[in-house]
Amino acid sequence: MKGLRWPICVLVVVLVTGLCAWNAAAQEVVIRMYGGYPFRTDGKMGPAEVLDMYLREYERLNPHVKVENLGRNLNVDQLINLYITGMMPDIIEIDVKFLADFYRLGMLAPVPEELAEKLRAELFPTSVNFITLAGRMIGIPGENMVTGLWYSREALDAAGVADLPRTVQELEELGRRLTKWTPDGTVELPAMIHSQGEWAINHMALAMLSAEGGRVYDEMGQLDLQEDILHRVLERLVSWLRPNSWFAADGFKREFDLGMVPFGIGYPWWIQGFDLYYPGEDYTKNFGVTLFPAGADYGAFMYAHGYGVNNRSEHLDEVWKLLEWLALAEIDGITPIGHMMATQGSLPNRPQDILADPYLRGRDIYLGFIENLNYARNTPDWERVNLGGAALRVANGEMHPVEALEKAINDAIEATRAHAEWLAAQQERQ
Amino acid sequence: MARRSIVLCAVLLGLLLAAQAASAQNYFSVVVLPDTQVYSKSYPQIFKIQTDWIVRNAAYHNIKFVLHAGDVVDSGATNPAEWENAKAALDLIDQAGIPLLIAMGNHDYDDLAQTRSSETFNRYFGIERYQGKPWFGGAFEPDRAENVYALFDVNGRKYLVLVLEFGPRDAVIEWADGVLAAHPDATAIILTHSYLHDDGMRTHEASEWNPKRYGLGGDANDGEDLWHKLIKKHPNVRLVLSGHTLGTGVARRVDVGEHGNLVFQVLANYQMQANGGDGYLRLLKFYENGNIDVLTYSPYTWAYKTDAENQFVIGDAGLAVVSGRVMNTVSQQGVPGARVTLEDVQGNVKAAVFSDEAGRYDLVAPEGCYILRTELSGYEGSAALVATPNAVCRPETLALRPIGVWAGTGRTLTGDLAEGTAADIVLMNERLAMAIAVTFDDPQLTGVTKGKPVDLAVTGQADAFDWILMPYLSLTQPTDWAVRTVRNTDVAVVEVTGEQAVVEASGVFTELDTVTVRTTYTLAKDRPWVHVRSVITNTGPEDVTLWVGDVMDNDDGTQVAIIPGYGTVTSGAAQVWTPEQTWIGQYGTSAQAFALVYPDRPEGFDAFGGALWIMSRIPVTIPAGGQYELNRYIVAVPTEGYAAKADALKEVVAHLITPYIWAFEEQAEVDVIGNDNTGATFALSQAVAGEGTYVLQVTPSGQAAETKIAAPLSGLAISKWTSGETLVIRAYLPPENEMNPARFFLGMADLTTGWEWVDGVFSTTEAQPGWNEIRFALTPKMRALNPDGKYMVYMAFIEAARTPLVQPFYIDHIWVE
């Protein structure tokens, strides 16, 4: 019996050592995330490639963490199904309006208050507020887009215009003065364009609504459209959108890119068009962005994406640690998310990021949009109401103004009701 | 620290700009309500929408006062409801404390201006509306509101608004003369219902709707009288506003007063338009520099009118005066009443005036080079080229304006075969000319020539036809051309615009008088064809079975007929033909070829005849009380060699027979399209079932964010393109594809003289897997194409996130509707 003691001891030591090694391996954390952007096929650095670069750096700094970037998934139904079946990744990137719904459905964990405090201190207030629901941040701000009034210095100089419009009356007056009409009233070259899509018209309509002191929902989420304000906004917008108005409901984007059209209501990503088509040496010398006199005040409309965290994640602490690093860590003067946004043509969320090299080209333009952030008073839910569609129906002659007001309100009620029903149905699925 | 400062500066700059966004306006506005009579009578809600808008927008537009140009109501004293409606609307302005002055129109008199009885007007809108108001100046008659004036002080400048009755009496003019003279420091605006005609002339003896033609008495004055007796004498008169005149309802002119002041005179009246004017009103913005922006807006439709007669700037800058005297060359005396005009080089009258008692005239027009014309009945007219002081005339810039499209009498076609006279109607554009008989009676068509084409040629060439019997009807299948059975009783030009002309003929079927025929000939600008539509109506109690069709008789030398499937027919012997397609053609020795094309492909269609004449035959049964519509195109195209004449028709006929711009049924169509450097490849395919035999398979490169088709557009396809407003791509997006295009862009470049971007537009169609009709609303620039130009159309197919597409998708047809 005594002869067996040593072999048994050796066996015990081996087993204990093996168990320790197995345990160490089990402590490696794997975080799965929808990074929000597809990988490019042309070898260039897009936001997905930038994100991947930082994730690898994070893994280097945190050897026990492995992050799988699953690309993009914007399919709301699929994401809900993944959650129900327990397969939703730890992090999802999507439009904040959907994050808000996911949060209402109980799918997301709120940002820990300690991290939220840091974000409130470091990021633009609009970036934080936009992703805050009932006082809690529901995710980390990502893509940050806001409307602004683009202008072309060449077009304004050619018309002898020195001052940018500060009131909506001045904008309308300049618009008429700078539009080129044929004698029969057909527009040859308008004074202002937009992004060419009903959604873009809607963003503009909602910006005009807020400029007139209106809103879509109150603090409790109840529909709060005021008819007199709605009337003012729809009438003004329709009169602008009518055929042969100074504001082109369709087309002329290429002329804008060429510097020929004085004004445009658009987004930071229009820069991509200038890169392609502007004939001058440096588009940043010609194009600028200022505030949009949209009514009684300036107006802007914001939409944003964010990173939400699956509340069933097994590594919540590690997930928030990663997101904090992506949102706030400064590497060569910019945060990882800020670098992604610069590549995407989006505004940063951390003000200092604008000073870093990735934002060097077109920085003044981005600063113009940042000013507009001050006038973006909407919440993500506003987009549920399609005022732009109502305006377009009237402008295109499909509906008379007399019907439009009533229909816009009824449609808003219906959209709100349908959304509530959808939320309830999703709740039931879970 | 420095970085934070920059950001802070940006934020502060934003706040600073916001603070500056105060509504410091450098203008005030005046609203002019043109004739509201139809609203008061039939659309009171529109009247209220107008006045409610004025109240709601008074601050926004800085509206200082409102002027009503008269004809508040329609029916005089006979319909109190109209007055109540008008009062309900106008009370809104009064209640808001906005000054409102109302001119009295002829319809506002108790008896529609058969006398000057105005009891009802004064009961509803009498002098008490003005009394006690700080801006009220006074009235011609202390207890009546027809002639009043008001004084406004705006931004330190004084304005006098003088309201005069319809056809003001001499005594009123005398009173007005005193008012204007008493306020020399006030800029005067005169408001009177009738003053300017829609031809830009002040109402004069020969004008329609002249106040002197009502029952107002011998001392009523028209616009021309007012100018000479009152307006031109006062240096402070700046603006004259009026309504009343129908026609286009809009006009403006500027004249120089005796003191050198420019007087702007403006007519606006929309009562003849939809809904009694669709709510349009005039918004006049008075700027500090003296300019007045004139806008025309409808609070009812939320739309501005943007043409030059409805949106313009009133101001002195850039205007010049051309003065002179019209002389009788025999008596050497001045000639009064001669019409003197300034025309620009395109022949547009820019200013017109009648010479005064001494033959003098003053014309005001923008600086430029003009043709000065003088006309008066009993005199030979004269013309001269004149330049205003700061303009340089270049006679070589004078140009002939193309006719566009024309229809009327007084012209004939050329050539030995031409038979139509000046009393017959000629339809003509730059491509073809055709005479339709009104009085000419062809010996072969005795009694039934009226309303039928008797001459036809490519524009600039000689007539090649004897006649086209269009249509004939027969109760039996015809076996001879002589089917003289449709006798038109009326033929007239019913429409001539710059874009198209329409002639209409109507008559009866002589074999059965319960069958009537109405034929319309429509010729559009730049089209080498006339669209002919005959509506045959059976008014009788029984179904009628008929043969219908047309006979064409080309008498050009060495006649030849063209029958699809048979080629050219040179024999004159008549026989039955069964054409492969529903058209027939003819040509002769001149450099032109002709066809009759039946786009509806009528069932039972055949042809009968030979080289000398050829006819179509279509069996039809028209139910009792029913109609049959026969559509066809008369085509005339220029040709080169004799052998190529049939070929010359091919493109036009193919265009008229198929509705598609790109059908993608032949390899030749695929061979000419490109991918605009996106690497996409194209092939005809039968992989999915389209409407034709083939579809176009588009295989993306997998490398480019946009998959593009670049398709050339020229020739007749341009007319198909410009015939509609929406381009439609019928596309199949395979459901099994991992990715399909979700955004669609349509762009266009002009390749006529190089490469110049035309315009582009995104589709709003939300495509689904499977078949889709992807629609693009063509922009004005994309519709205004040069028919002789060459264009490239770019169709881009883009994945929602601009991820390069990989798998094929399919396109069936592309058309414009």
Side-chain angles (χ1 to χ4, degrees):
Chain A
M1 222 17 218
K2 280 184 182 176
L4 285 173
R5 276 184 189 164
W6 274 110
I8 288 170
C9 282
V10 169
L11 185 62
V12 167
V13 168
V14 168
L15 281 172
V16 168
T17 309
L19 191 62
C20 288
W22 177 81
N23 194 36
Q27 280 179 357
E28 182 182 76
V29 173
V30 177
I31 297 174
R32 297 167 64 242
M33 74 184 292
Y34 282 127
Y37 298 91
F39 288 95
R40 295 183 67 136
T41 54
D42 56 5
K44 293 180 180 169
M45 286 290 278
E49 286 74 16
V50 171
L51 175 63
D52 229 41
M53 179 180 79
Y54 284 108
L55 292 179
R56 299 297 80 82
E57 172 65 7
Y58 188 80
E59 287 172 342
R60 192 183 66 77
L61 296 171
N62 301 274
H64 66 293
V65 176
K66 181 168 171 46
V67 187
E68 289 179 10
N69 181 1
L70 306 173
R72 182 176 58 170
N73 188 346
L74 305 180
N75 188 325
V76 171
D77 289 336
Q78 200 177 79
L79 287 168
I80 294 172
N81 286 337
L82 288 173
Y83 179 80
I84 292 170
T85 55
M87 294 167 67
M88 190 169 91
D90 303 282
I91 301 170
I92 58 172
E93 194 275 1
I94 200 165
D95 193 307
V96 174
K97 67 184 173 214
F98 299 126
L99 284 183
D101 283 343
F102 294 160
Y103 185 76
R104 289 173 181 126
L105 290 170
M107 292 163 55
L108 303 183
V111 179
E113 202 44 41
E114 192 182 343
L115 173 56
E117 276 306 312
K118 289 182 193 170
L119 294 167
R120 287 185 194 111
E122 292 285 325
L123 307 189
F124 283 121
T126 44
S127 298
V128 172
N129 293 340
F130 201 73
I131 203 164
T132 296
L133 204 61
R136 295 301 303 265
M137 285 190 76
I138 61 169
I140 302 295
E143 197 167 303
N144 182 7
M145 294 289 187
V146 68
T147 54
L149 180 64
W150 282 97
Y151 60 89
S152 161
R153 290 183 180 87
E154 286 168 10
L156 293 173
D157 288 349
V161 176
D163 299 322
L164 293 168
R166 294 169 307 147
T167 65
V168 69
Q169 289 98 332
E170 287 180 1
L171 179 65
E172 287 188 325
E173 182 201 337
L174 264 182
R176 286 197 187 87
R177 187 145 71 84
L178 302 182
T179 296
K180 290 176 184 162
W181 274 288
T182 61
D184 70 354
T186 304
V187 167
E188 285 185 325
L189 192 69
M192 190 159 92
I193 64 154
H194 69 106
S195 291
Q196 304 177 62
E198 188 169 314
W199 62 273
I201 291 287
N202 193 41
H203 288 187
M204 191 172 157
L206 294 169
M208 293 168 79
L209 185 80
S210 77
E212 287 290 348
R215 60 183 179 178
V216 175
Y217 295 105
D218 65 14
E219 294 81 0
M220 305 304 291
Q222 299 299 308
L223 199 63
D224 189 29
L225 286 171
Q226 292 176 49
E227 191 172 334
D228 59 331
I229 293 177
L230 194 60
H231 186 162
R232 223 159 36 234
V233 169
L234 280 180
E235 179 172 356
R236 182 174 297 139
L237 184 56
V238 169
S239 75
W240 289 6
L241 288 170
R242 286 283 191 190
N244 293 316
S245 160
W246 57 275
F247 174 57
D250 264 324
F252 298 103
K253 175 66 166 61
R254 193 57 54 89
E255 282 82 352
F256 189 87
D257 293 341
L258 293 170
M260 297 160 63
V261 177
F263 297 113
I265 299 294
Y267 305 85
W269 46 261
W270 279 22
I271 280 177
Q272 294 163 5
F274 309 146
D275 250 342
L276 282 173
Y277 303 113
Y278 180 67
E281 287 179 6
D282 182 0
Y283 68 79
T284 64
K285 288 181 181 161
N286 181 54
F287 294 102
V289 174
T290 188
L291 299 172
F292 169 36
D297 195 359
Y298 296 116
F301 184 86
M302 179 181 178
Y303 73 88
H305 283 216
Y307 292 92
V309 172
N310 184 347
N311 65 1
R312 292 179 181 166
S313 169
E314 292 172 2
H315 326 285
L316 275 176
D317 287 348
E318 292 289 356
V319 167
W320 287 120
K321 224 171 107 185
L322 167 65
L323 286 174
E324 178 176 351
W325 186 81
L326 288 172
L328 297 175
E330 185 176 294
I331 300 169
D332 293 332
I334 194 165
T335 58
I337 288 179
H339 193 170
M340 283 172 68
M341 293 306 105
T343 314
Q344 172 67 4
S346 157
L347 299 181
N349 293 295
R350 196 185 73 130
Q352 290 89 337
D353 284 357
I354 197 74
L355 304 170
D357 285 349
Y359 277 109
L360 179 62
R361 192 147 191 244
R363 181 177 292 143
D364 287 344
I365 289 171
Y366 286 110
L367 284 170
F369 278 108
I370 287 169
E371 288 169 26
N372 276 279
L373 280 177
N374 297 324
Y375 296 90
R377 307 176 183 98
N378 60 297
T379 69
D381 292 329
W382 283 30
E383 236 179 321
R384 215 173 287 142
V385 174
N386 186 7
L387 298 185
L392 273 175
R393 300 293 101 75
V394 180
N396 295 337
E398 296 164 38
M399 195 195 302
H400 195 274
V402 171
E403 310 161 62
L405 266 176
E406 192 183 343
K407 185 162 175 17
I409 292 171
N410 287 339
D411 285 354
I413 293 169
E414 176 56 26
T416 305
R417 189 194 57 75
H419 178 256
E421 278 182 9
W422 178 84
L423 267 184
Q426 299 307 318
Q427 206 101 47
E428 223 159 78
R429 284 177 67 197
Q430 296 181 44
Chain B
M1 188 62 194
R3 289 171 178 171
R4 284 185 188 278
S5 299
I6 291 175
V7 174
L8 188 63
C9 283
V11 174
L12 285 175
L13 180 62
L15 293 172
L16 185 64
L17 285 171
Q20 287 176 338
S23 58
Q25 289 160 289
N26 59 348
Y27 65 83
F28 73 90
S29 297
V30 174
V31 172
V32 181
L33 287 169
D35 305 38
T36 56
Q37 64 213 80
V38 184
Y39 306 142
S40 297
K41 186 177 185 180
S42 306
Y43 305 99
Q45 75 280 11
I46 297 179
F47 202 169
K48 259 193 164 175
I49 285 171
Q50 285 186 313
T51 54
D52 175 63
W53 180 88
I54 291 167
V55 172
R56 283 191 297 105
N57 286 274
Y60 182 79
H61 288 297
N62 201 14
I63 297 168
K64 293 299 182 190
F65 49 93
V66 179
L67 307 177
H68 193 304
D71 277 359
V72 177
V73 298
D74 190 58
S75 309
T78 61
N79 188 356
E82 294 177 23
W83 291 97
E84 292 296 334
N85 290 336
K87 184 163 169 43
L90 294 174
D91 274 357
L92 296 180
I93 300 174
D94 285 344
Q95 286 157 7
I98 303 168
L100 164 67
L101 291 115
I102 306 172
M104 195 166 175
N106 49 306
H107 283 263
D108 300 327
Y109 286 90
D110 293 337
D111 52 7
L112 305 178
Q114 296 309 301
T115 69
R116 287 201 183 268
S117 173
S118 60
E119 299 314 311
T120 317
F121 179 84
N122 277 289
R123 192 160 66 245
Y124 279 91
F125 303 106
I127 197 73
E128 58 278 6
R129 283 189 60 257
Y130 299 119
Q131 286 167 336
K133 301 284 194 306
W135 43 267
F136 179 52
F140 168 64
E141 295 152 301
D143 58 345
R144 310 191 76 77
E146 288 99 317
N147 300 283
V148 295
Y149 74 94
L151 292 161
F152 298 99
D153 198 332
V154 187
N155 300 335
R157 292 175 78 160
K158 291 179 180 168
Y159 292 88
L160 163 68
V161 178
L162 181 59
V163 181
L164 302 178
E165 64 193 7
F166 178 61
R169 291 161 281 177
D170 288 336
V172 170
I173 290 178
E174 197 177 322
W175 166 78
D177 197 56
V179 171
L180 288 169
H183 300 91
D185 56 343
T187 300
I189 299 167
I190 294 175
L191 175 71
T192 188
H193 184 59
S194 168
Y195 179 80
L196 196 59
H197 206 265
D198 71 329
D199 61 1
M201 303 299 284
R202 288 180 288 264
T203 50
H204 54 86
E205 294 294 340
S207 299
E208 283 180 284
W209 312 299
N210 186 315
K212 294 179 177 179
R213 297 185 186 179
Y214 294 73
L216 298 174
D219 66 347
N221 288 280
D222 59 24
E224 197 65 10
D225 297 330
L226 267 177
W227 172 255
H228 290 288
K229 292 182 181 178
L230 177 73
I231 295 167
K232 74 175 183 184
K233 294 178 178 174
H234 293 276
N236 54 338
V237 179
R238 178 72 170 167
L239 189 59
V240 183
L241 301 165
S242 63
H244 182 56
T245 303
L246 302 175
T248 64
V250 289
R252 58 191 161 112
R253 64 176 292 127
V254 54
D255 290 285
V256 60
E258 286 179 359
H259 301 272
N261 56 310
L262 293 179
V263 182
F264 297 88
Q265 301 140 83
V266 180
L267 159 72
N269 176 18
Y270 304 102
Q271 70 182 79
M272 70 300 275
Q273 297 186 4
N275 304 310
D278 251 351
Y280 279 99
L281 50 76
R282 282 273 164 101
L283 183 66
L284 278 57
K285 295 185 168 185
F286 289 66
Y287 285 88
E288 285 169 356
N289 64 3
N291 283 357
I292 306 169
D293 273 7
V294 179
L295 304 174
T296 304
Y297 179 68
S298 167
Y300 175 62
T301 63
W302 297 352
Y304 286 90
K305 286 180 181 283
T306 57
D307 60 278
E309 291 304 320
N310 283 293
Q311 178 175 283
F312 51 92
V313 178
I314 288 174
D316 297 351
L319 293 177
V321 181
V322 175
S323 299
R325 195 171 178 209
V326 182
M327 298 289 292
N328 181 323
T329 55
V330 177
S331 69
Q332 292 299 305
Q333 299 292 309
V335 180
R339 188 168 190 263
V340 187
T341 58
L342 281 179
E343 291 177 10
D344 66 15
V345 291
Q346 277 85 36
N348 303 309
V349 174
K350 306 305 284 186
V353 72
F354 291 112
S355 56
D356 67 10
E357 298 84 351
R360 282 189 299 268
Y361 66 85
D362 295 304
L363 289 157
V364 184
E367 289 277 5
C369 182
Y370 296 99
I371 299 161
L372 179 69
R373 290 189 192 280
T374 314
E375 295 168 334
L376 184 63
S377 179
Y379 293 83
E380 285 182 10
S382 68
L385 188 66
V386 296
T388 58
N390 296 314
V392 177
C393 277
R394 294 190 183 85
E396 67 270 23
T397 61
L398 291 170
L400 283 175
R401 182 165 45 177
I403 57 166
V405 60
W406 188 87
T409 55
R411 290 188 184 198
T412 57
L413 272 67
T414 58
D416 295 341
L417 294 175
E419 294 167 306
T421 70
D424 298 311
I425 292 169
V426 168
L427 257 177
M428 168 176 193
N429 66 10
E430 289 175 80
R431 303 206 182 232
L432 70 76
M434 186 171 85
I436 299 169
V438 178
T439 60
F440 171 69
D441 203 13
D442 189 278
Q444 290 180 307
L445 305 179
T446 308
V448 297
T449 316
K450 188 172 189 173
K452 314 277 169 45
V454 288
D455 298 320
L456 174 65
V458 168
T459 298
Q461 294 204 39
D463 170 42
F465 266 78
D466 195 353
W467 40 256
I468 304 177
L469 189 52
M470 179 168 246
Y472 73 79
L473 302 181
S474 177
L475 291 172
T476 56
Q477 186 177 34
T479 52
D480 182 53
W481 67 264
V483 208
R484 292 177 282 251
T485 54
V486 174
R487 188 187 302 277
N488 288 316
T489 51
D490 296 296
V491 57
V493 177
V494 295
E495 180 186 334
V496 186
T497 66
E499 297 301 314
Q500 69 170 21
V502 181
V503 174
E504 189 171 279
S506 55
V508 294
F509 176 32
T510 55
E511 293 179 10
L512 195 60
D513 61 7
T514 53
V515 174
T516 62
V517 183
R518 180 180 297 272
T519 299
T520 50
Y521 301 87
T522 303
L523 177 63
K525 195 169 84 173
D526 295 321
R527 303 287 194 271
W529 61 75
V530 179
H531 179 206
V532 190
R533 177 172 170 260
S534 293
V535 178
I536 301 155
T537 305
N538 174 14
T539 63
E542 306 289 340
D543 294 358
V544 175
T545 297
L546 295 166
W547 290 82
V548 302
D550 311 296
V551 190
M552 58 198 302
D553 182 13
N554 179 303
D555 273 359
D556 203 0
T558 321
Q559 296 116 296
V560 170
I562 311 167
I563 314 288
Y566 299 94
T568 54
V569 175
T570 54
S571 166
Q575 67 178 86
V576 177
W577 310 88
T578 310
E580 280 184 353
Q581 293 178 316
T582 52
W583 65 276
I584 50 179
Q586 272 195 310
Y587 61 80
T589 48
S590 64
Q592 43 192 345
F594 307 90
L596 292 178
V597 182
Y598 299 78
D600 301 334
R601 307 177 194 189
E603 260 187 52
F605 178 96
D606 74 10
F608 183 75
L612 305 181
W613 54 269
I614 187 81
M615 68 196 297
S616 55
R617 303 189 302 185
I618 303 158
V620 172
T621 298
I622 309 175
Q627 290 185 330
Y628 175 77
E629 184 175 320
L630 179 62
N631 276 297
R632 62 280 203 212
Y633 296 94
I634 302 173
V635 178
V637 294
T639 62
E640 293 178 0
Y642 193 81
K645 286 187 175 177
D647 290 343
L649 286 168
K650 274 185 183 170
E651 189 188 358
V652 180
V653 170
H655 168 81
L656 293 171
I657 288 279
T658 171
Y660 303 118
I661 298 177
W662 293 286
F664 298 123
E665 295 296 336
E666 294 179 10
Q667 184 59 37
E669 282 184 282
V670 181
D671 291 342
V672 297
I673 62 176
N675 61 26
D676 197 30
N677 299 318
T678 60
T681 55
F682 311 104
L684 289 182
S685 167
Q686 292 177 306
V688 293
E691 287 176 352
T693 309
Y694 293 100
V695 294
L696 179 74
Q697 176 177 304
V698 182
T699 306
S701 66
Q703 300 295 318
E706 298 185 5
T707 297
K708 289 189 194 172
I709 300 173
L713 180 76
S714 63
L716 286 169
I718 293 177
S719 65
K720 203 170 277 183
W721 178 284
T722 54
S723 67
E725 296 178 345
T726 306
L727 183 121
V728 187
I729 300 176
R730 188 164 189 271
Y732 182 79
L733 309 181
E736 63 275 18
N737 280 1
E738 283 183 22
M739 282 185 301
N740 270 318
R743 298 185 73 204
F744 309 92
F745 180 77
L746 177 71
M748 178 174 241
D750 187 344
L751 276 54
T752 311
T753 57
W755 193 98
E756 189 178 352
W757 182 249
V758 175
D759 209 350
V761 63
F762 276 98
S763 170
T764 55
T765 302
E766 291 182 7
Q768 305 296 325
W771 282 108
N772 292 271
E773 286 192 357
I774 299 159
R775 293 172 174 274
F776 299 84
L778 298 178
T779 66
K781 292 175 111 180
M782 295 170 91
R783 296 205 300 269
L785 304 188
N786 171 6
D788 298 320
K790 288 188 168 66
Y791 298 88
M792 188 64 78
V793 176
Y794 301 95
M795 291 161 270
F797 302 81
I798 311 159
E799 198 272 335
R802 298 183 64 79
T803 308
L805 294 165
V806 178
Q807 292 156 300
F809 55 92
Y810 303 90
I811 293 172
D812 193 1
H813 302 308
I814 300 174
W815 69 96
V816 164
E817 60 186 35

